[in-house]
Amino acid sequence: DCPASVRKQLGRLFAQALTATVPTQPDVVPLIDACIAKNGVKHADYQCNNAMSLFAKIKGKQEEFKNPRSLGEGIMKNLPQSEMIESCSVAGPGFVNVVLSKKWIAQSVQKLLTDGIDSWAPRLPIKRVMVDFSSPNIAKEMHVGHLRSTIIGDTLARMLEFCQPECLIRRNHIGDWGTQFGMLIAYLFEKYPNPDAVNESDIGDLQAFYKASKLKFDSDPDFKLTAQQSVVKLQGGDPKYLKAWKQICDISRTEFNKVYQRLGIRLEEMPESFFNPLIPPTLEKLEKLGLIEDSDGARVIFVEGVDIPLIAVKRDGGYNYFSTDLASLWYRLNVEKLDWNIYVTDVGQWQHFDMLFKAFRRAGWLPKDENEYPICTHIGFGLVCGDDGKRFRSRSSETVRLVDLLDEAKRRCKVALLERDNAKDWSEEEIEKTSEAIGYGAVKYADLKINRTTNYTFNFDQMLNDKGNTAVYLLYAHARICSIIRKSGKDIEELKKTGTVVLDHEDERTLGLHLLQFTEVFVESCSNLLPNVLCEYLYNLSEIFTKKFYSSCQVVGSPEETSRLLLCEATLVVMRHCFYLLGIEPVYKL
Ligand code: ARG
């Protein structure tokens, strides 16, 4: 439910009109859309599109309606009185156009100022949601692919959180298990015969450590044997090996946490190793249901519409990525009792999740037909590419380290800030904080503003441009509005209590209406799990503010100053909330 959505509110009015007009079709769902401007002109704010399809259903049954247009007129006549609506008309084949009352828009904006943005939050029909995101692998550095998962996953979690589910879990399914650990541990013991003496800085560069051990593994048969024996020891729970494993994991964790801290990401870790003990009982249950077959010594599950089977147990008896996900999904459904599990990874893993969910459906552990609200959803995103259109790599053709990338974004922002005329008015701390907010914000926004399913080109110059559709531009717009209010010398809290929002100028009205449309855009963005829809809204908001409202309506010193300052404040409230949802830190002075 979503009382703040203009579309929903109009929908309720039209539902009454539709039933009154066509009593034989009581369950018609109102089709309401915001009108789109043609050549810069909009004839109305919203339209109801039911007449055309409804006419086809009642043709010949209700004599008074000769065509869709006359049905549209009938619907319009039956529309209940409402303070929302200024006027209605029927257009074209039977669209019912609605112009909203500007007084009502103004009152709604005023209400936002008194009640806050939470009063605009929709409610989710779902109780317990989990977003599985970021989920990097130990010993392999976090790379740009994980950056996308981290940024997109965090935003989705923030969006869902705004809908106030009973429980929201931000899950980091860290890859902390697997055969690579045999190699790493064997190498660690070889380099540091006394593991107690090892400290973090010795193997601080885990990627280099990983590479060196891999090199030895591939070239030295004796070492390879020791590595394989180490896996067995580790899996058998030998304390010495477990300790070394933990040591290696902790070093990785420290690195991951640095990135999370910089980006303001909250995550709860439940790593792959947590699910190890749950794998055998999960497989046993599947076995009892007759789902598991033998294939060349491996234990496999066949699922609908896929030629290759899902490998639950490898030929050597070992477990894999699938085994862990079978156990973890079982846990999520039965122990954590989650009713929406969202997995955020690159699209390349779609088949993994497709097969996983299908296996669960085959077992009867997930409903056969997933409806509008699926219990499991895989959110795939495209590759991160460089300017050459190929997978993003640094010059040495290695994957790019995330910390380097964030450092670079910050560095460039700092340079730009220091070049500004007012640079000397800034304290060192302000420069640091602001260049972080802009730099990290720019990296996030560049990723979020495109449809996540497409590939994404990483380009510093583009994302840090202060004129295009970038976080830099948006943060500037926000800071500029803050400075308008500051310059007025007025106390906004006081104005909120005593002032009134009036929308007499066309551009004031346009801004007010766009503010009010936040909720329905948010609902669209959230229900399709597409943050780019929200980015587009935010960008349009800044454009409407800057190019329409602020260029035609003087604020400070005008007779309408109070109302216009309130409109500025309302714009800030909505902008800041968008920034919050996108994980971007606002900047108050620029
Ligand atoms: N660690 C995996 C990777 O880096 C992502 C894990 C996603 N979550 C899951 N439950 N499979 O590709």
Side-chain angles (χ1 to χ4, degrees):
D1 187 39
C2 184
S5 156
V6 181
R7 253 182 83 184
K8 280 270 164 66
Q9 292 179 65
L10 283 174
R12 276 191 285 272
L13 295 177
F14 272 101
Q16 291 181 41
L18 288 163
T19 332
T21 317
V22 184
T24 51
Q25 307 275 333
D27 299 321
V28 178
V29 179
L31 306 170
I32 314 293
D33 279 325
C35 297
I36 299 166
K38 272 199 197 108
N39 306 322
V41 197
K42 237 173 43 171
H43 295 290
D45 300 317
Y46 284 85
Q47 61 192 56
C48 168
N49 305 332
N50 284 87
M52 287 66 76
S53 54
L54 188 56
F55 181 75
K57 283 193 192 150
I58 60 155
K59 212 168 167 175
K61 288 186 209 144
Q62 263 179 278
E63 286 300 318
E64 68 267 41
F65 302 125
K66 301 276 181 277
N67 50 40
R69 196 177 161 105
S70 62
L71 178 57
E73 271 151 14
I75 296 169
M76 184 175 85
K77 281 197 196 90
N78 282 321
L79 200 61
Q81 279 286 331
S82 163
E83 48 166 13
M84 281 180 88
I85 297 174
E86 174 108 24
S87 64
C88 292
S89 58
V90 175
F95 300 108
V96 184
N97 281 343
V98 175
V99 175
L100 296 174
S101 137
K102 71 179 173 197
K103 190 166 165 213
W104 179 80
I105 300 175
Q107 283 167 349
S108 307
V109 171
Q110 187 115 35
K111 232 169 126 36
L112 166 72
L113 289 171
T114 39
D115 299 352
I117 197 83
D118 284 338
S119 65
W120 280 8
R123 292 296 157 107
L124 267 189
I126 278 150
K127 293 200 174 75
R128 303 176 61 81
V129 197
M130 178 213 58
V131 188
D132 173 324
F133 70 102
S134 193
S135 305
N137 303 314
I138 298 278
K140 302 178 190 161
E141 193 109 21
M142 243 173 134
H143 55 72
V144 279
H146 292 119
L147 180 64
R148 283 209 89 179
S149 173
T150 307
I151 292 173
I152 296 170
D154 177 58
T155 292
L156 294 178
R158 285 165 183 264
M159 287 167 57
L160 292 163
E161 200 166 42
F162 182 55
C163 308
Q164 303 170 31
E166 197 179 280
C167 148
L168 175 95
I169 296 179
R170 308 153 151 269
R171 181 59 44 83
N172 202 358
H173 189 80
I174 287 188
D176 68 341
W177 203 248
T179 43
Q180 82 264 28
F181 280 98
M183 181 179 93
L184 292 167
I185 293 171
Y187 194 67
L188 182 73
F189 287 163
E190 197 175 280
K191 278 192 82 178
Y192 304 97
N194 175 11
D196 283 333
V198 181
N199 56 44
E200 223 180 78
S201 56
D202 292 332
I203 47 173
D205 188 353
L206 258 186
Q207 212 176 26
F209 187 83
Y210 180 88
K211 237 193 280 165
S213 67
K214 178 91 171 93
L215 213 67
K216 197 159 169 81
F217 185 85
D218 290 337
S219 60
D220 180 345
D222 287 342
F223 178 76
K224 190 169 178 170
L225 196 69
T226 321
Q228 281 157 350
Q229 286 162 350
S230 304
V231 181
V232 179
K233 287 250 175 63
L234 176 66
Q235 290 179 345
D238 182 313
K240 185 175 157 205
Y241 287 78
L242 276 175
K243 190 173 168 207
W245 166 73
K246 206 175 160 297
Q247 227 167 5
I248 295 170
C249 291
D250 285 345
I251 293 168
S252 265
R253 266 190 199 101
T254 315
E255 284 306 305
F256 299 157
N257 286 337
K258 279 185 200 153
V259 174
Y260 297 144
Q261 214 202 335
R262 284 207 209 184
L263 294 178
I265 309 282
R266 270 185 299 129
L267 272 157
E268 293 165 48
E269 189 185 328
M270 200 177 265
E272 288 189 6
S273 62
F274 173 87
F275 299 103
N276 282 341
L278 289 171
I279 296 175
T282 307
L283 293 179
E284 204 174 301
K285 290 184 192 80
L286 290 165
E287 194 99 44
K288 277 204 186 110
L289 292 167
L291 258 67
I292 301 196
E293 299 170 37
D294 203 273
S295 166
D296 261 343
R299 310 289 291 154
V300 305
I301 303 174
F302 279 93
V303 297
E304 208 186 310
V306 189
D307 293 337
I308 49 161
L310 171 166
I311 298 174
V313 186
K314 291 188 293 184
R315 213 180 297 167
D316 65 5
Y319 299 138
N320 60 13
Y321 190 45
F322 256 129
S323 333
T324 311
D325 266 335
L326 287 168
S328 61
L329 182 52
W330 189 89
Y331 182 85
R332 288 165 182 186
L333 296 177
N334 295 286
V335 180
E336 300 192 287
K337 304 211 182 298
L338 296 164
D339 44 19
W340 199 8
N341 296 271
I342 301 170
Y343 294 81
V344 187
T345 79
D346 61 294
V347 278
Q349 297 195 33
W350 77 268
Q351 190 168 55
H352 170 81
F353 289 104
D354 180 56
M355 289 170 83
L356 177 68
F357 304 157
K358 278 179 174 162
F360 267 59
R361 261 176 241 146
R362 224 191 116 188
W365 294 349
L366 280 177
K368 288 268 179 292
D369 304 299
E370 293 266 24
N371 57 10
E372 199 190 339
Y373 296 104
I375 293 170
C376 291
T377 308
H378 174 234
I379 290 299
F381 53 80
L383 273 183
V384 183
C385 300
D387 287 328
D388 55 0
K390 298 208 186 95
R391 190 185 277 273
F392 190 62
R393 289 178 200 281
S394 69
R395 240 168 303 161
S396 58
S397 101
E398 305 257 350
T399 50
V400 182
R401 284 164 37 115
L402 272 193
V403 273
D404 297 342
L405 213 131
L406 296 177
D407 281 345
E408 178 65 7
K410 178 181 169 187
R411 190 192 64 80
R412 289 186 186 222
C413 289
K414 199 165 161 180
V415 170
L417 281 180
L418 291 170
E419 275 170 5
R420 290 166 57 97
D421 298 339
N422 65 357
K424 34 186 188 327
D425 307 341
W426 292 57
S427 72
E428 190 138 343
E429 200 196 332
E430 276 178 320
I431 298 262
E432 282 298 298
K433 283 242 158 67
T434 310
S435 38
E436 278 171 14
I438 302 179
Y440 304 161
V443 171
K444 289 183 179 182
Y445 187 79
D447 192 331
L448 294 169
K449 79 167 182 189
I450 55 157
N451 184 308
R452 61 172 160 72
T453 54
T454 56
N455 286 355
Y456 150 58
T457 306
F458 194 96
N459 182 313
F460 276 123
D461 292 327
Q462 255 167 35
M463 70 175 75
L464 296 175
N465 185 332
D466 58 7
K467 290 187 189 70
N469 179 3
T470 63
V472 189
Y473 165 78
L474 295 167
L475 289 167
Y476 266 102
H478 175 268
R480 210 169 300 126
I481 305 174
C482 291
S483 99
I484 297 169
I485 296 182
R486 259 198 314 270
K487 279 195 191 121
S488 77
K490 296 279 155 54
D491 177 355
I492 270 294
E493 290 312 313
E494 209 39 53
L495 290 190
K496 278 203 233 170
K497 284 183 222 144
T498 54
T500 312
V501 179
V502 182
L503 305 174
D504 282 339
H505 192 287
E506 191 193 316
D507 292 333
E508 291 174 318
R509 187 188 186 278
T510 306
L511 178 59
L513 178 60
H514 192 72
L515 289 171
L516 238 56
Q517 287 173 327
F518 168 81
T519 305
E520 63 203 52
V521 176
F522 172 79
V523 169
E524 186 195 334
S525 176
C526 192
S527 51
N528 300 315
L529 303 174
L530 288 174
N532 60 305
V533 174
L534 192 65
C535 292
E536 196 186 311
Y537 171 85
L538 174 60
Y539 179 66
N540 288 336
L541 179 58
S542 324
E543 290 276 280
I544 291 171
F545 184 91
T546 316
K547 302 214 168 119
K548 290 197 170 180
F549 170 72
Y550 198 56
S551 71
S552 52
C553 302
Q554 186 195 344
V555 179
V556 181
S558 72
E560 298 88 351
E561 187 186 83
T562 300
S563 162
R564 290 181 177 169
L565 283 172
L566 290 174
L567 210 46
C568 287
E569 176 66 11
T571 306
L572 287 177
V573 168
V574 175
M575 277 187 106
R576 241 173 253 154
H577 187 60
C578 292
F579 284 142
Y580 174 79
L581 294 171
L582 300 171
I584 298 173
E585 197 75 45
V587 171
Y588 293 82
K589 155 180 158 186
L590 263 171

